[in-house]
Amino acid sequence: MAEPSKRLRLSHISIGSQAASTSLVKQPDMAGGAGSFVEGSILRITMKNFLTYDYSEVYPGPNLNMIVGANGTGKSSIVCAICLVLAGRTATLGRGDKVGLYVKRGCQKGFVEIELYKNGGNLVISREIHVENNQSLWMLNGGISNLKKVEEEVKALQIQVSNLCQFLPQEKVGEFAKMSKIELLEATEKSVGPPEMYEYHCELKNFRNKERELENVVKEKASFLEKAKQRNERNKHDVNRYYEKKRHLDVIELLEKKKPWVEYETARKELENVKMEREEAKKQLSALRQAQAPMLKKIQQIDDQLKPTEAQMTAKTAAIREAAGKLKQKQDQLDRKHKEIDDIKQNLRLKQTEEEDHQKRISNTRRTIEDLKSELAKISDQPDVTPQINAVNVELRRIQMERAKIEEEKADLRRESDNITAESKMLERKLRDMNNMMNAKEEKLRGRHRDTHAALQWLRKNRQLFEGNVYEPMMLVVNVKNPDFAKYVENHISFHDLRAFVFQRKNDMEKFMTEVRDKMNLKVNSISAPEESCSQRPPSRNIESLRRFGFFTYLREMFDAPDEVMSYLCFQYKVHDVPVGNNQTKALIKTVIEEPYLKVLYTTDERYTVKRSFYSNKISTSNSAVHPSQYLTITVDAEQKRQLEQQMKACESRLREIDDRMKSLQEEAAALDRKENELLAEKKRLSELKGKKRQLEQKISTKQDSLKQMEQSVIDLKKVEEETKEKIKAVNFQKVTIATAIVTQMKLRAKSTMKKVLLALEVAGLTAEKTKLENDCRESASEFKTMEQRCGRLDQRKAQLTEQCKGLLKRAKSNCRMQPDEALSEDLRHAFSKLPDTLDEVDAMLNEERSRAECFTGLSENVVEEYNRREQEIKHLEKELQKKTDALNTYRQNISEAKERWLNPLKQLVEQINDKFSNFFRSMQCAGEVDLHSENEEEYDKYGIRIRVKFHSSTQLHELTPHHQSGGERSVSTMLYLMALQELNRCPFRVVDEINQGMDPVNERRVFDIVVRTACQETTSQYFFITPKLLQNLQYAEEMTILCVHNGPHMLPPSEWDKTAFLQRRLQRKARA
C-alpha cells in the first residue's frame, strides 16, 4: 500500500487478555481536515470489554475505510459496536438476541463510545452495557441521557442502522436479496432520497387509503340512498293502503262498540220474557200438586197389604227350590247307575271282541311262520359274501385315512391363512399409519413452501428421467429416531436444505432445475451429494471420552437418512462431529468449550458455536436457543416401510398359494366322497344279502315264541258273562231305592207350588190395582215434574240473563270508555243509529269489514311514520353524500399534487441509480438494470424497485431473487446496487460486512475496483468495507484508509508501537533481499 500523505495515527486495539494488537489508521487533522467529513460521519469508535476487545480506539477516514483481518480477530465486532451505540437493535445484527451477550466473556459490563462529526460541535454517544439485567446506560456528550434522546439525535443526522441499504452486517448479507421490491424502495428512499421523499410516499399511501375509504363510503351512501328512495317509492303505495285499511278499522271499532249494546238490549228483552214465563209456570205447578194427593194415599195402602204376601211367596219359592235341588241330586244318582250298567255291558262286549282278535292273531302268526320257513328254504343254497364285505371295509378305511389327511392339511392351511390374514391386517395398519404420517409431513411442506411441494409431485411422476438416485426433500426422508431429538436436527440444518432435493449425480440435478425452476418457474432448492461418500466418517473424538461432560451421542446417531443425504449432511454440517449433551453439559460449559475439536455442540436447550483464533488460539463462543421442532417430529422409517411392503406382498403371494392348494384338496375330497358313497352302497347290498337268512331264522323263532304266548293267554268268556250278570243285579237294587226317594221329593215340591200359586193370584190382584193408580198418578207426576223442571230452568235462565245483562252493560260501557253511572253520549247514539240494530246484521257487517281490512296484509301501524322518517333520512343522506363527494374530490386533488411531488423526483432518482448500476455491470461485461415497478399506478403501497441482472450472454435479464442467482451473483448485485447509491447517498456513512466472500476472483476484483473508484470520490460519504482477505495486486487510492485488525499472544502493547521503526525495519529487509 502506498504511504499515505496524511498524518498517520495509532489505534490501540487490545484483544482478550492477551498482549495488545495494533491497527494502523489515518485520522484527519481535526483542526483543519474536518471539512472532508460529511455531517454524521464517524470520527472515533472506542470499545472496552466489548466482544473480543479489552480496549480499543479506532479512527476511520472520511472516505473508504477497508477493515481487514483474519477470521475471529474482531472485524465484525466494530460493526456491532457502531450498530449498538447508535441505538440499533440486536436483531439488526442477527447475532445474539440479548445485548448482554455482546459484553466480553467473563466481564460484568462493557462500554462503547462513538464520536460523530457535527457542525457546531461533534456529538459523542456512549453506551454502557450491563450483563446482569441486559440494561444499558446512555450518555450524550458526557451527560446522562436515555434511548429516546439518542434515537432523536441519530435520526437528525440521517443515520439508519436498520436500513440494509446503509448498514449491512455480515449475518444480514443474504437478507438483502430477500427484500421485496416494496421493501427495497422504502429502504432506498430512506437512504438516498430527499428527506421529504419517504414522507411524501407515506402521505400518498395514507391519502390513497383515505381515498379508498371515501370511495367505499360514497359508494355505500349512494347505494343506500338509492335503495332508500326505491323503498320509499314502494312504501308510498303501502301508505295509501294503510289509510284505506284505517277507514275499515274505524268502522270495525264502531261496530265492536255497538255490538255489546245490541247484545245487552237483546239479553234484556229475553230476561223480561223469561220473568213472565216463570210466573205462569209457578201457577200451573201449584195446581198439579193439589190434584195428585188422594191417589198417592191409596197407593200407600196397597203397598202395606203387598209386603206380607210377598214375604210368604218368597218362603214358598225357597222351599220349592230346595225340593227341586234334592230331586235333581236323586235323578243324577239314578243316571249314574244307568251309566254304570252300560259300562258293565260295554266291558263284556270288549272282552268278547278282544278274544275274537286274539284268535285271529294266532291264526295269522301260524301262517307267517309257514311263509318264513318257505322263504328260508329258498335262500339256503346261496354262497357266503363275508370276504367281499371285508374287502369293501378295507377300502373304506383307506378312504377315511386319506380324508383325514386332507382335512388335517386343510385345517393347517386355514390356520396358516388366518395367521397370515391377521399379519397382513397388522402390516396394512402399520403402512396406513406410516402413510398418514408421511401425508402430515407433506402437508406441512405444502403449507410452508408450495413450490417445493409442486416440484415433489412432478418428481414422483417423472422419476424415470433420472439416471442416479434422486431423493425427495430432506425433511421427508430424514427420520429422527426419537421425537425429542428432532429440535437438534432441525436447528442444525437450515430450512433451505431441509426442503432441498438431493441428487447423486450433478447432471440429474441440472436437468431437474431446468424443468422445475426455468420451465415451471418454481422456487426450489437442490443439492448434489459429494462424489465420495462421507456418511461413515468417524467423529474427531469417541463419544465415551465426552460422557463425563454430559454428552450422550453425536447428532448423526439421532436420525436415519439415505446414504447420499447422510453423506451431504456429514460433509456440509459435520453432523458426525457435533455432540449433544444435557443439563450437565450446560453446567460445565466453561470447561467444555476448552476441549479441542469441539466447534459446535448442543445442550438441552441451547446451541454453542466455538471459534478459535488462528493466531492466538483464543476461544470465542456464541450461543442461541434451540427452537422447538416444526417438521421432523413426525418420523417414518423408509427402510421399515419398504420391509413392510415386501412382507405385505409375501403375505398376499402365500394367501394365493393357500387358496390354490385348498381348491386342489377340495377336489380330492370330493373324489373320495364319490368313491366312498359307491363302496357304502356295495357294502349295504352285500350286508343285506348276508343278513337276510339270519333275519329269517330270527323272525321264525320270534314268531313261534309269540304264538306260544298268545295260545297261553286265551280269555274265559263264560266266566266273564256270569260276573257281568251279578254286577248288573246289584246296581238295579240301588236304582229302586233312589227311585223311591225321587217320588217323595216330587210330592213335596207339588204341594209347595200350589200354595205359591194362590199367593201369586192375591199379589197379582193388588199389583193390578196399584199399577192402575200409579199410571194415573204417573201421568200427573210426569206433568208435575215437567212443570217443576221448567220452573227450575226458568229460574236458572233468569239468573243467567240477569248476570249476562250486567256483564254486557258493563262491557258495553267499558268499550265506549264510559263510567258505570254514565249515560250513552249523543255522538255515539247518532253514530250507532247509522249501523244495523240486530246482532246478526252487526256480525255480518263486522265480518265483512274485517275481511276487507285483512286484505291489506303486510302493513304496520308505523308504516306512515317509517315513510316520513325515511323521507327525512333521504334528505340527510343527500347532504352527507354531497359532503363525502366533495371530500373525495379534495383527497383526489391532494393525491394528484402529492403524487407529482413524489413520483417525478423518485423516477429521476431511480433513473440515476439505474444509470450507475447499469454502468457498473457493463464494466464487468454483464448487464443489469433498476426500474420503478408498479402493477397499478394508483396503488402507491405496491410501488417497488426491481433489480434485474444478467451474468451470462446466453441468458436473459432475471429479477434478483434469493433463489434464481447463485450466492456470488447475489453478492455482486447487492454490492453494485449499494455502490450505485453511494454518490447519491444522503446518509453520512455506509457499512458493508464481508459481502465479497461468495464472489469468484474475477468478480471480486471488478467489484473492488468499482468500490474504490466510487467511494473515494470527494462528493461521497464515509464507507466501511469489512473483509477477511484481499486479492493480490489490487488498485488502491490515496483517499482510502486501511484498518488492519490483528490479535495474538505476541502482539506489541499499543504503548510500544513505533511507526517509524516499523518502516525503517521494512526498508532494511527489502534492501537485504
Side-chain angles (χ1 to χ4, degrees):
M1 182 183 74
E3 175 74 20
S5 59
K6 298 179 182 179
R7 181 171 59 88
L8 295 177
R9 184 188 179 102
L10 296 180
S11 175
H12 307 291
I13 304 176
S14 181
I15 308 296
S17 59
Q18 302 164 357
S21 64
T22 307
S23 175
L24 184 62
V25 299
K26 294 191 301 182
Q27 183 188 16
D29 187 353
M30 292 299 148
S36 59
F37 284 88
V38 300
E39 186 159 333
S41 295
I42 300 173
L43 299 177
R44 174 178 57 85
I45 307 168
T46 300
M47 297 167 286
K48 183 178 180 181
N49 294 332
F50 185 79
L51 289 175
T52 58
Y53 293 98
D54 286 333
Y55 177 82
S56 178
E57 285 187 346
V58 180
Y59 295 93
N63 299 110
L64 176 60
N65 289 274
M66 190 75 67
I67 302 177
V68 184
N71 289 329
T73 55
K75 303 183 302 300
S76 296
S77 299
I78 300 174
V79 178
C80 296
I82 296 173
C83 176
L84 296 180
V85 78
L86 293 176
R89 302 289 187 268
T90 56
T92 303
L93 299 171
R95 289 191 171 191
D97 56 346
K98 297 178 182 179
V99 70
L101 297 174
Y102 291 85
V103 176
K104 185 171 183 180
R105 188 161 54 88
C107 300
Q108 296 302 313
K109 63 181 180 179
F111 178 81
V112 184
E113 185 175 85
I114 193 167
E115 183 176 356
L116 304 175
Y117 176 74
K118 186 176 181 182
N119 293 327
N122 294 341
L123 177 66
V124 179
I125 303 173
S126 304
R127 182 176 188 178
E128 187 176 279
I129 304 170
H130 294 266
V131 175
E132 183 177 357
N133 50 10
N134 283 299
Q135 297 295 317
S136 297
L137 176 64
W138 294 91
M139 289 180 285
L140 283 175
N141 294 324
I144 301 298
S145 184
N146 55 46
L147 177 61
K148 184 176 181 182
K149 291 182 180 179
V150 173
E151 289 176 339
E152 292 172 355
E153 291 289 345
V154 170
K155 184 177 180 181
L157 293 174
Q158 300 180 358
I159 297 173
Q160 306 166 21
V161 292
S162 61
N163 188 342
L164 295 183
C165 288
Q166 179 178 349
F167 196 89
L168 192 60
Q170 178 181 350
E171 285 75 9
K172 295 289 184 176
V173 170
E175 292 189 11
F176 185 88
K178 297 180 184 177
M179 292 174 67
S180 66
K181 295 187 283 291
I182 298 170
E183 293 171 339
L184 185 59
L185 173 60
E186 293 181 355
T188 303
E189 286 177 329
K190 293 176 183 178
S191 177
V192 300
E196 65 276 4
M197 178 176 286
Y198 181 67
E199 296 175 3
Y200 287 159
H201 190 184
C202 294
E203 187 180 67
L204 262 179
K205 289 190 283 188
N206 292 333
F207 280 158
R208 178 54 184 156
N209 290 334
K210 295 280 184 63
E211 181 188 18
R212 276 196 291 264
E213 293 175 4
L214 283 172
E215 285 175 348
N216 293 333
V217 170
V218 168
K219 186 177 179 181
E220 289 175 2
K221 288 189 177 295
S223 175
F224 190 75
L225 177 62
E226 183 63 26
K227 289 179 181 178
K229 288 181 177 180
Q230 293 176 359
R231 197 180 300 115
N232 240 23
E233 190 62 31
R234 291 195 299 269
N235 287 353
K236 192 171 184 180
H237 176 64
D238 294 339
V239 170
N240 295 333
R241 294 175 67 236
Y242 171 79
Y243 284 122
E244 187 175 353
K245 179 179 180 181
K246 191 172 185 303
R247 286 193 294 273
H248 290 294
L249 293 176
D250 292 341
V251 175
I252 291 171
E253 183 181 3
L254 198 58
L255 285 168
E256 288 177 343
K257 286 182 178 179
K258 183 174 182 180
K259 182 178 178 180
W261 289 101
V262 174
E263 291 174 344
Y264 166 72
E265 188 62 26
T266 303
R268 188 186 64 76
K269 291 179 180 179
E270 185 179 357
L271 177 61
E272 294 299 327
N273 294 334
V274 168
K275 286 181 179 179
M276 295 174 61
E277 187 178 354
R278 174 173 168 273
E279 292 300 325
E280 184 65 26
K282 283 187 176 181
K283 291 179 182 179
Q284 293 177 6
L285 182 63
S286 178
L288 288 171
R289 186 180 289 110
Q290 292 176 0
Q292 199 178 22
M295 287 187 288
L296 294 173
K297 185 176 180 181
K298 184 61 176 176
I299 290 172
Q300 185 63 40
Q301 291 175 355
I302 293 172
D303 284 338
D304 293 341
Q305 293 177 4
L306 279 173
K307 286 180 181 178
T309 305
E310 287 177 348
Q312 292 177 11
M313 279 188 65
T314 302
K316 292 301 180 183
T317 300
I320 292 169
R321 189 179 296 112
E322 183 181 358
K326 293 180 178 179
L327 183 62
K328 186 175 182 308
Q329 290 177 359
K330 295 298 181 179
Q331 187 64 45
D332 291 340
Q333 291 177 4
L334 186 61
D335 291 340
R336 286 196 293 273
K337 294 302 177 182
H338 286 310
K339 188 174 182 303
E340 188 177 349
I341 291 173
D342 291 338
D343 291 340
I344 292 169
K345 291 179 179 179
Q346 180 65 26
N347 288 334
L348 177 60
R349 286 194 294 272
L350 289 174
K351 291 290 184 179
Q352 292 171 346
T353 304
E354 183 181 353
E355 179 60 21
E356 291 176 0
D357 292 339
H358 189 67
Q359 293 299 326
K360 288 179 182 179
R361 286 198 299 275
I362 291 171
S363 177
N364 290 334
T365 301
R366 288 172 178 167
R367 282 197 299 273
T368 300
I369 291 171
E370 293 299 325
D371 293 339
L372 290 172
K373 288 180 177 180
S374 175
E375 187 176 356
L376 179 61
K378 291 179 182 179
I379 65 172
S380 296
D381 299 333
Q382 291 184 356
D384 189 9
V385 294
T386 301
Q388 298 179 29
I389 293 175
N390 292 336
V392 170
N393 286 335
V394 170
E395 186 65 20
L396 284 174
R397 282 194 295 274
R398 186 188 64 80
I399 290 174
Q400 288 174 357
M401 290 174 65
E402 290 183 5
R403 184 190 287 112
K405 290 179 180 178
I406 290 173
E407 291 299 326
E408 184 178 356
E409 185 175 356
K410 286 170 67 177
D412 293 340
L413 290 174
R414 278 194 292 270
R415 282 194 297 273
E416 184 179 0
S417 176
D418 292 341
N419 293 335
I420 293 174
T421 302
E423 183 181 0
S424 178
K425 289 182 179 178
M426 181 186 69
L427 294 173
E428 184 179 358
R429 185 170 61 255
K430 288 183 178 180
L431 277 173
R432 186 166 58 250
D433 293 342
M434 285 187 172
N435 290 332
N436 291 339
M437 294 168 73
M438 287 296 294
N439 291 337
K441 292 178 76 172
E442 286 187 27
E443 283 300 313
K444 284 194 174 184
L445 175 63
R446 186 165 68 92
R448 177 70 184 273
H449 208 278
R450 289 185 177 272
D451 283 5
T452 302
H453 187 267
L456 172 64
Q457 302 304 317
W458 181 89
L459 174 64
R460 289 176 175 174
K461 295 177 182 177
N462 300 277
R463 196 178 290 272
Q464 72 280 358
L465 300 177
F466 304 102
E467 298 175 3
N469 294 333
V470 181
Y471 296 99
E472 296 178 357
M474 281 192 200
M475 62 181 292
L476 299 182
V477 300
V478 168
N479 289 285
V480 182
K481 298 177 181 179
N482 187 332
D484 294 337
F485 297 160
K487 62 181 181 179
Y488 303 114
V489 180
E490 196 166 314
N491 276 268
H492 196 71
I493 304 172
S494 69
F495 179 71
H496 293 294
D497 278 351
L498 281 177
R499 67 180 179 86
F501 295 83
V502 182
F503 293 83
Q504 185 183 20
R505 301 185 179 183
K506 288 186 178 180
N507 57 338
D508 284 344
M509 182 179 73
E510 293 171 358
K511 184 187 299 183
F512 175 78
M513 295 303 286
T514 301
E515 291 292 335
V516 300
R517 185 180 68 181
D518 298 339
K519 294 183 180 180
M520 299 172 66
N521 199 26
L522 298 177
K523 300 175 182 178
V524 299
N525 284 358
S526 63
I527 55 179
S528 176
E531 294 182 1
E532 183 179 351
S533 178
C534 304
S535 61
Q536 301 300 322
R537 279 186 180 177
S540 302
R541 294 181 61 177
N542 191 292
I543 192 64
E544 296 299 327
S545 64
L546 298 175
R547 289 193 185 277
R548 55 196 175 96
F549 299 117
F551 293 109
F552 57 89
T553 186
Y554 282 104
L555 198 60
R556 179 177 61 184
E557 312 308 323
M558 289 184 165
F559 64 93
D560 294 321
D563 186 75
E564 285 82 357
V565 177
M566 185 66 79
S567 177
Y568 173 80
L569 293 177
C570 289
F571 176 80
Q572 184 68 25
Y573 290 96
K574 305 295 186 287
V575 294
H576 64 288
D577 216 14
V578 177
V580 180
N582 49 30
N583 291 328
Q584 180 186 354
T585 310
K586 185 174 181 180
L588 300 173
I589 192 63
K590 292 185 178 180
T591 306
V592 171
I593 61 178
E594 300 291 340
E595 289 292 310
Y597 307 111
L598 293 183
K599 296 181 179 180
V600 180
L601 58 95
Y602 286 91
T603 63
T604 303
D605 298 310
E606 290 183 327
R607 166 183 169 150
Y608 286 84
T609 303
V610 182
K611 294 182 179 179
R612 292 181 179 272
S613 171
F614 180 78
Y615 302 99
S616 65
N617 204 31
K618 268 296 188 178
I619 296 173
S620 63
T621 62
S622 62
N623 65 311
S624 59
V626 176
H627 303 293
S629 173
Q630 300 181 29
Y631 309 104
L632 300 182
T633 50
I634 303 173
T635 62
V636 177
D637 190 335
E639 179 62 25
Q640 183 183 0
K641 181 181 178 185
R642 185 185 62 78
Q643 292 177 359
L644 290 176
E645 290 173 345
Q646 290 179 349
Q647 292 175 15
M648 277 288 292
K649 292 179 181 178
C651 289
E652 292 171 357
S653 174
R654 180 56 184 156
L655 284 174
R656 287 193 295 271
E657 292 176 1
I658 290 174
D659 288 341
D660 294 341
R661 181 56 182 160
M662 286 290 284
K663 290 178 182 178
S664 174
L665 292 175
Q666 197 70 30
E667 293 174 356
E668 293 178 12
L672 290 175
D673 288 341
R674 290 192 297 271
K675 180 66 174 176
E676 184 182 33
N677 291 334
E678 293 173 359
L679 292 173
L680 288 173
E682 178 66 15
K683 179 180 178 181
K684 182 179 180 182
R685 185 185 66 80
L686 294 173
S687 298
E688 288 176 353
L689 187 61
K690 177 182 178 182
K692 193 169 185 181
K693 180 178 179 182
R694 186 170 60 254
Q695 289 174 0
L696 289 174
E697 292 174 348
Q698 290 177 351
K699 285 181 180 179
I700 291 171
S701 175
T702 302
K703 290 295 183 181
Q704 289 175 345
D705 292 340
S706 177
L707 179 61
K708 290 179 181 179
Q709 290 177 359
M710 286 189 289
E711 288 175 347
Q712 292 174 358
S713 59
V714 175
I715 299 173
D716 187 356
L717 289 177
K718 290 182 178 181
K719 183 179 179 182
V720 171
E721 289 174 357
E722 290 295 331
E723 291 176 352
T724 300
K725 289 179 181 179
E726 291 296 328
K727 290 179 180 178
I728 291 172
K729 183 178 179 181
V731 172
N732 284 333
F733 181 76
Q734 294 174 1
K735 284 172 63 178
V736 171
T737 305
I738 294 170
T740 302
I742 289 173
V743 172
T744 303
Q745 291 297 327
M746 289 178 68
K747 289 179 179 180
L748 182 60
R749 186 178 68 174
K751 183 178 179 181
S752 297
T753 302
M754 184 60 68
K755 290 181 179 180
K756 179 180 177 182
V757 169
L758 294 175
L759 291 172
L761 291 173
E762 183 179 355
V763 169
L766 293 172
T767 303
E769 185 180 359
K770 177 183 177 183
T771 301
K772 182 177 179 302
L773 291 171
E774 285 178 344
N775 289 335
D776 295 339
C777 186
R778 190 178 296 112
E779 292 175 1
S780 176
S782 175
E783 187 178 354
F784 177 82
K785 187 174 181 181
T786 301
M787 189 58 64
E788 190 176 28
Q789 291 174 349
R790 182 184 176 194
C791 288
R793 286 196 299 272
L794 289 172
D795 286 338
Q796 292 177 357
R797 184 61 180 160
K798 176 190 173 186
Q800 291 174 357
L801 288 172
T802 302
E803 291 300 321
Q804 185 178 355
C805 286
K806 291 179 181 179
L808 290 172
L809 181 60
K810 183 178 180 181
R811 183 160 67 88
K813 289 185 176 183
S814 175
N815 284 355
C816 296
R817 297 182 178 82
M818 296 169 55
Q819 297 296 325
D821 54 349
E822 185 181 355
L824 192 65
S825 66
E826 189 62 31
D827 292 338
L828 282 176
R829 289 181 185 277
H830 179 70
F832 286 170
S833 66
K834 297 179 181 179
L835 300 175
D837 294 326
T838 65
L839 189 60
D840 291 340
E841 291 175 345
V842 169
D843 286 337
M845 187 173 182
L846 189 60
N847 290 333
E848 182 181 357
E849 292 296 326
R850 283 175 177 166
S851 298
R852 290 181 178 180
E854 287 173 356
C855 292
F856 299 92
T857 58
L859 299 176
S860 66
E861 296 181 0
N862 299 324
V863 65
V864 177
E865 295 179 5
E866 180 69 19
Y867 179 82
N868 295 331
R869 183 183 62 76
R870 196 174 287 117
E871 282 291 328
Q872 295 298 323
E873 285 183 359
I874 289 172
K875 294 178 181 178
H876 178 70
L877 281 172
E878 288 174 342
K879 293 180 181 178
E880 284 291 320
L881 181 59
Q882 186 60 42
K883 183 178 178 182
K884 294 296 182 183
T885 303
D886 294 341
L888 179 59
N889 292 332
T890 302
Y891 263 104
R892 285 174 176 167
Q893 182 63 30
N894 293 338
I895 288 173
S896 178
E897 296 172 358
K899 180 179 179 182
E900 188 174 350
R901 291 195 304 270
W902 171 73
L903 189 56
N904 292 335
L906 178 61
K907 286 182 177 179
Q908 294 175 4
L909 179 64
V910 173
E911 186 62 33
Q912 293 175 2
I913 296 172
N914 180 52
D915 289 343
K916 296 183 180 299
F917 188 77
S918 300
N919 290 335
F920 291 154
F921 263 86
R922 275 196 298 273
S923 68
M924 297 176 60
Q925 287 79 48
C926 300
E929 64 178 34
V930 177
D931 62 357
L932 188 63
H933 181 266
S934 176
E935 297 177 358
N936 184 350
E937 290 188 1
E938 302 303 321
E939 298 297 332
Y940 304 107
D941 55 348
K942 299 294 190 297
Y943 274 77
I945 287 182
R946 180 174 60 180
I947 301 175
R948 297 193 298 165
V949 295
K950 181 177 74 170
F951 287 90
H952 306 286
S953 59
S954 61
T955 61
Q956 299 294 325
L957 284 170
H958 286 285
E959 186 175 344
L960 181 64
T961 67
H963 313 288
H964 194 278
Q965 290 80 16
S966 66
E969 292 171 347
R970 292 198 298 270
S971 297
V972 171
S973 303
T974 301
M975 193 67 187
L976 294 184
Y977 183 79
L978 295 179
M979 296 313 302
L981 302 181
Q982 180 67 13
E983 295 183 13
L984 306 172
N985 202 2
R986 62 183 178 85
C987 61
F989 64 87
R990 177 174 285 107
V991 177
V992 179
D993 190 0
E994 295 194 17
I995 198 171
N996 61 331
Q997 291 309 293
M999 301 181 191
D1000 59 79
V1002 175
N1003 285 335
E1004 184 176 355
R1005 185 177 298 277
R1006 290 172 177 174
V1007 169
F1008 184 84
D1009 291 341
I1010 293 172
V1011 170
V1012 172
R1013 186 170 63 250
T1014 305
C1016 291
Q1017 297 177 8
E1018 293 184 1
T1019 57
T1020 60
S1021 57
Q1022 197 176 34
Y1023 200 98
F1024 289 88
F1025 186 88
I1026 294 92
T1027 179
K1029 49 107 180 155
L1030 289 173
L1031 299 175
Q1032 295 182 358
N1033 301 319
L1034 295 173
Q1035 295 297 320
Y1036 298 93
E1038 290 293 331
E1039 293 78 12
M1040 291 176 59
T1041 299
I1042 307 297
L1043 300 170
C1044 296
V1045 182
H1046 299 283
N1047 67 4
H1050 305 295
M1051 297 298 295
L1052 289 173
S1055 60
E1056 298 181 15
W1057 273 70
D1058 187 344
K1059 181 190 69 173
T1060 304
F1062 291 157
L1063 294 176
Q1064 290 177 355
R1065 191 179 305 162
R1066 176 59 180 164
L1067 292 173
Q1068 291 173 1
R1069 289 182 179 177
K1070 187 175 181 181
R1072 286 197 300 269

